[in-house]
Amino acid sequence: MEKLIEILKELQPEVDYETCENLVDGRYLDSLTILSLISEIEDEFDVVIPTVEIIPANFNSAKKIWELIQRLEEE
Amino acid sequence: MTYFGIKYIFIFLPIVIILYSLMSKKLKPIILLCASLGLIFYISKWLIIYVLLSFLSIYLAGLLLQKIDSKRDLICEGKEREERKKIKGKYKRYKKIILIITIIFNVSFLFYFKYLGFFAKIANRLFVIFKINLSFEIVKFIAPIGISYYTLKAISYIVDVYNEKISAEKNILKVCLYLTFFPSIMEGPIARYTDVKDRIYAGNKVTYNNLCFGYQRILFGMFKKYVIADRLNIFVKLAFQNYMLYSGVTSLVGAIFYTIMLYMEFSGTMDVVIGSAEIFDIILPENFRQPFFSKNISEFWSRWHITLGTWLKDYIFYPVSLSKPVKMLTNFNKKVFGHRFASIIMGGIALFFVWSLNGLWHGAGLTFLFFGYYHFALIFLGNIFEPIIAKICEILNINRQNKIYVFFRIIKTTILVFIGELFFRAPRLLYGFGMIKKIVTDFNVAAFKNEVFALGMDIKDFAIVALALIFILVISILKEKGKNIREDISKKPIYVRWTLYYALILAIIVFGAYGAGYLPVDPIYVDF
């Protein structure tokens, strides 16, 4: 989780990732930032994020993103 | 039949509502299906066969994909992770073949009806340039109604089943109704199956509230179309067709009026469409969210024709960005140039595909392609310059949330939209450039005074448009602030509500631009 927050802060520093729960709906993460994020996550956690998983519900908070990573690691 | 016509609003829709209300819960969706197929047959006659072929292809392919998934899951049970991965890979290849065949099957109809003539024309020009003794005969086909919309819906359905985002629907009639639902067949919105699956076949009652809300929305759409869009039509037509006869100011006002007309016509149609569906307790996704409050072009496209934008994002932008070749290029760029540049290029490649398709989707013509690439360039440049602008603001201590700064960003975006729509409406690309040249080199405000009333609008027309636009602006501001105006109205006493409804009806009758001296706007998005 710490590593994920680190990545997020590097990409978009102006957000409090501990509390923010509308990263996509609140337009804190735009499409381009999400692409960068996916690329970083895939490198760091050795998972592949399929396009079908790129929905606001999976990216609206750091917690949700972390849950997605864990789910993909298990598959 | 058009959504704004008397035949639809006063004959077709009420008959469907009555028949629907008379039937049992089970038969209600059948009425909707018959009405939908009946409407398509009424407009497109035997071309309906192509709509049915599309629907059958996705229905059968969906079931087949589901069957493969079930078989795969059965085999995977109790296997180790590595082995499971191998099996999944093998079955994914089978699924991909089915998916590709289904997509090609559906897109080939679209290509045949909409683009064959355009590409034949381009090929003929190339044959002339390269002195090849060949030429294709140019034939213009009449396409089945709504082909651009239902094809995208069909693709979204089958891709979602392939990705296991939704289960394949077993009820053949439900899939057919999803694809052909009469309020959205002609001009969208491009609803996903997940948006409507719970309600489209539920056969819910037509309640008093739904009827009021639905017709209220339809009336609002009629107001936009009859009072504003139709009043601007002749001006726009003359300003674009004969731009060379007038000063640059007329070209500029023509472009502004066209953008307003397009917005009022298309969003008005969406009001009629969404309102019609609401009567049957079916909630369609919104296609507009106050687009003229956008701070940049990227945001504008997340508020204008939303369902097309999200379709292109989900089925083109992300799959292209995350495709193997683009990923390889991104990894290389990341190592050499850093991750910001790498993601700009990765997004840029995907955006190029998105905007090529967005342009082509609107029509087979160079003006539409130019319209697409114009927006691609604006968004791509926006992505490059955004961090630089943020840095400059930081250095100059400019608060980017400041209201004045936001206001100027909105104005800048609106001007860029006007330019894009100018090319979108221009009969030919050269006309578009000609109008821009006029605006820059022949901006004669004094001449406009003489020209303004020669283009089909008198002082009364200008006054009505201005007042109607202020009314729309006030509603937009309230919606932007999160107010639910319709809910608020519904809580008012009955005499207030009905006074408002009658006022709206009266406004359409009194201020509507119809009869001699006016030219109704043809449904613009039907042709796309």
Side-chain angles (χ1 to χ4, degrees), chain B residues 98-112:
Chain B
I98 296 165
L99 177 75
I100 290 169
I101 291 172
T102 316
I103 291 177
I104 290 176
F105 181 77
N106 279 280
V107 171
S108 61
F109 292 141
L110 187 64
F111 184 83
Y112 174 75

Side-chain angles (χ1 to χ4, degrees), chain A residues 36 39 42-43 54 73 75, chain B residues 81 302 322 327 334 343:
Chain A
S36 303
S39 164
E42 290 190 342
D43 285 353
I54 311 172
E73 275 177 337
E75 269 182 17
Chain B
R81 193 182 173 209
S302 68
L322 300 174
K327 260 186 182 172
K334 236 184 336 188
S343 61

Side-chain angles (χ1 to χ4, degrees), chain B residues 59-124:
Chain B
Y59 173 72
L60 295 172
L63 289 182
L64 196 58
L65 288 173
Q66 185 108 323
K67 212 172 175 184
I68 294 174
D69 284 340
S70 310
K71 199 173 172 191
R72 176 206 61 197
D73 292 345
L74 209 69
I75 295 172
C76 279
E77 248 178 32
K79 298 274 192 310
E80 290 296 314
R81 193 182 173 209
E82 277 309 305
E83 207 173 336
R84 266 200 335 252
K85 247 185 172 174
K86 261 188 200 167
I87 297 166
K88 278 184 181 172
K90 186 178 142 195
Y91 278 85
K92 199 173 178 181
R93 282 195 289 280
Y94 297 151
K95 283 175 66 180
K96 208 171 234 171
I97 293 168
I98 296 165
L99 177 75
I100 290 169
I101 291 172
T102 316
I103 291 177
I104 290 176
F105 181 77
N106 279 280
V107 171
S108 61
F109 292 141
L110 187 64
F111 184 83
Y112 174 75
F113 284 111
K114 221 172 138 179
Y115 303 108
L116 201 60
F118 174 65
F119 286 109
K121 249 188 213 171
I122 290 179
N124 284 349

Side-chain angles (χ1 to χ4, degrees), chain B residues 322-339:
Chain B
L322 300 174
S323 63
K324 265 185 197 157
V326 176
K327 260 186 182 172
M328 275 161 62
L329 180 71
T330 307
N331 285 337
F332 172 78
N333 283 339
K334 236 184 336 188
K335 278 175 205 150
V336 182
F337 304 106
H339 75 71

Side-chain angles (χ1 to χ4, degrees), chain B residues 189-459:
Chain B
I190 306 159
R192 306 288 173 81
Y193 189 64
T194 40
D195 292 331
V196 293
K197 73 178 171 56
D198 293 332
R199 292 202 185 197
I200 200 156
Y201 211 79
N204 288 343
K205 267 186 191 167
V206 175
T207 62
Y208 173 75
N209 265 353
N210 283 347
L211 206 60
C212 283
F213 268 34
Y215 265 103
Q216 192 190 81
R217 186 92 193 242
I218 291 172
L219 276 176
F220 189 50
M222 287 170 78
F223 177 85
K224 287 177 180 172
K225 147 98 170 141
Y226 287 115
V227 179
I228 304 173
D230 282 358
R231 201 171 290 277
L232 297 174
N233 197 19
I234 290 185
F235 189 104
V236 169
K237 220 177 172 96
L238 294 173
F240 274 81
Q241 207 62 49
N242 306 325
Y243 81 90
M244 56 294 269
L245 303 177
Y246 308 113
S247 68
V249 191
T250 301
S251 287
L252 178 69
V253 176
I256 295 170
F257 277 10
Y258 175 66
T259 310
I260 295 170
M261 186 181 98
L262 183 70
Y263 179 40
M264 290 298 115
E265 201 278 333
F266 192 27
S267 73
T269 306
M270 285 306 111
D271 291 324
V272 175
V273 164
I274 294 170
S276 300
E278 204 172 354
I279 293 172
F280 304 101
D281 201 37
I282 295 165
I283 308 299
L284 293 177
E286 293 291 341
N287 241 353
F288 291 93
R289 193 167 45 83
Q290 298 81 256
F292 290 97
F293 291 139
S294 307
K295 293 181 282 301
N296 56 46
I297 288 292
S298 193
E299 188 186 350
F300 178 83
W301 279 93
S302 68
R303 290 166 172 259
W304 171 285
H305 207 173
I306 297 167
T307 54
L308 177 68
T310 49
W311 191 97
L312 288 166
K313 190 167 85 180
D314 290 348
Y315 301 104
I316 305 291
F317 182 79
Y318 285 129
V320 171
S321 312
L322 300 174
S323 63
K324 265 185 197 157
V326 176
K327 260 186 182 172
M328 275 161 62
L329 180 71
T330 307
N331 285 337
F332 172 78
N333 283 339
K334 236 184 336 188
K335 278 175 205 150
V336 182
F337 304 106
H339 75 71
R340 178 72 202 170
F341 178 83
S343 61
I344 285 175
I345 295 298
M346 172 164 54
I349 294 169
L351 276 175
F352 181 79
F353 280 95
V354 163
W355 286 102
S356 302
L357 288 176
N358 187 309
L360 273 180
W361 181 88
H362 281 95
L366 289 177
T367 50
F368 295 117
L369 264 179
F370 182 85
F371 172 80
Y373 292 132
Y374 168 77
H375 286 99
F376 161 71
L378 290 178
I379 294 174
F380 187 60
L381 290 174
N383 288 340
I384 293 173
F385 286 108
E386 172 58 30
I388 300 168
I389 293 167
K391 196 85 202 157
I392 291 171
C393 286
E394 202 185 311
I395 292 166
L396 297 176
N397 209 11
I398 297 170
N399 177 10
R400 296 188 83 195
Q401 305 308 321
N402 179 294
K403 277 184 182 164
I404 297 168
Y405 185 81
V406 169
F407 176 74
F408 278 108
R409 286 185 79 188
I410 291 173
I411 295 291
K412 174 210 73 185
T413 307
T414 309
I415 292 170
L416 292 174
V417 171
F418 288 152
I419 297 170
E421 298 300 351
L422 184 151
F423 281 99
F424 189 75
R425 170 62 178 82
R428 286 164 58 200
L429 204 49
L430 277 178
Y431 274 57
F433 285 117
M435 286 175 79
I436 294 286
K437 194 178 166 192
K438 271 265 178 196
I439 293 170
V440 177
T441 60
D442 184 19
F443 200 80
N444 188 349
V445 181
F448 181 68
K449 276 186 185 166
N450 301 325
E451 291 164 11
V452 67
F453 297 119
L455 289 159
M457 282 175 73
D458 57 22
I459 188 88

Side-chain angles (χ1 to χ4, degrees), chain B residues 178-196:
Chain B
Y178 160 66
L179 215 62
T180 61
F181 186 45
F182 73 84
S184 60
I185 184 74
M186 288 194 247
E187 299 190 42
I190 306 159
R192 306 288 173 81
Y193 189 64
T194 40
D195 292 331
V196 293

